[in-house]
Amino acid sequence: MRKIKNPWLHRVGYNCFGCAPDNPIGLHMEFFEEGEQVICFWRPQEHFEGWVGVLHGGIVSTLVDETAGWVVTRKLQAAGMTSRLNMRFHKAIMSNEVQLTIKAHLVEQRRNIATIEATVENAHGEVCAEGEAIYFVLSDEKSAEMGFEHCGVEGDNLLPF
């Protein structure tokens, strides 16, 4: 497993709710690559609750959407935008869960449309939510206009915690 380098770090105006490490109200997500998958390990907190003790469904959807976006960034080496996000919730995720694992991979790409599937697992490995994200993949030129150059990895065999 290799940690994916965040190509947006140190960009003026970078304040993504999902992955910007300096966003004070953000999720501070980090990503890893294992084979064809992009993986995020994330710890819920009670200020992301919907109902008492339960992680808000919008936050769960954001976890899926952001991880899918990093599939575009790392695997397709491009910037992209969510076109559609379909979610299926199977089990409530508690806000005191020790760790969630979000996994996403590219299912298909047709021209500039990428279909990505993702799962959210609790600390027991149970799939609590699944998502399908349809992304509009920007051209190399448009990606460059947005400041995207390249998305690499740091090294092999890194553990997130």
Side-chain angles (χ1 to χ4, degrees):
M1 186 173 306
R2 301 176 300 174
K3 185 169 192 227
I4 299 172
K5 293 180 183 177
N6 186 333
W8 309 111
L9 287 179
H10 312 298
R11 297 255 183 231
V12 174
Y14 169 61
N15 199 35
C16 177
F17 178 72
C19 65
D22 297 326
N23 183 329
I25 63 167
L27 301 179
H28 306 145
M29 297 170 72
E30 294 183 313
F31 301 91
F32 298 83
E33 176 182 65
E34 186 169 63
E36 295 303 311
Q37 292 193 87
V38 169
I39 302 171
C40 175
F41 302 96
W42 188 78
R43 289 188 176 126
Q45 298 169 1
E46 68 180 25
H47 61 270
F48 293 124
E49 290 180 348
W51 184 247
V52 177
V54 178
L55 196 61
H56 192 284
I59 297 296
V60 177
S61 298
T62 301
L63 294 170
V64 166
D65 184 31
E66 186 71 16
T67 306
W70 278 77
V71 169
V72 173
T73 301
R74 172 64 186 147
K75 298 300 186 177
L76 302 180
Q77 292 294 312
M81 291 184 261
T82 310
S83 175
R84 185 172 58 217
L85 180 64
N86 300 311
M87 293 295 300
R88 294 179 74 193
F89 299 93
H90 302 291
K91 180 177 181 157
I93 299 172
M94 308 315 290
S95 60
N96 65 354
E97 191 71 46
V98 175
Q99 175 180 284
L100 299 180
T101 303
I102 305 95
K103 299 177 182 176
H105 65 278
L106 180 68
V107 175
E108 80 173 331
Q109 182 179 6
R110 292 186 181 186
R111 292 186 169 177
N112 59 351
I113 303 297
T115 302
I116 300 155
E117 290 180 351
T119 58
V120 180
E121 299 175 4
N122 63 20
H124 304 288
E126 300 169 311
V127 174
C128 299
E130 295 177 287
E132 178 190 64
I134 309 298
Y135 261 74
F136 180 80
V137 181
L138 298 176
S139 67
D140 291 344
E141 295 78 23
K142 282 289 187 189
S143 292
E145 283 178 27
M146 291 185 70
F148 179 80
E149 295 171 8
H150 174 74
C151 181
V153 293
E154 287 186 4
D156 292 329
N157 301 321
L158 293 177
L159 298 176
F161 301 110

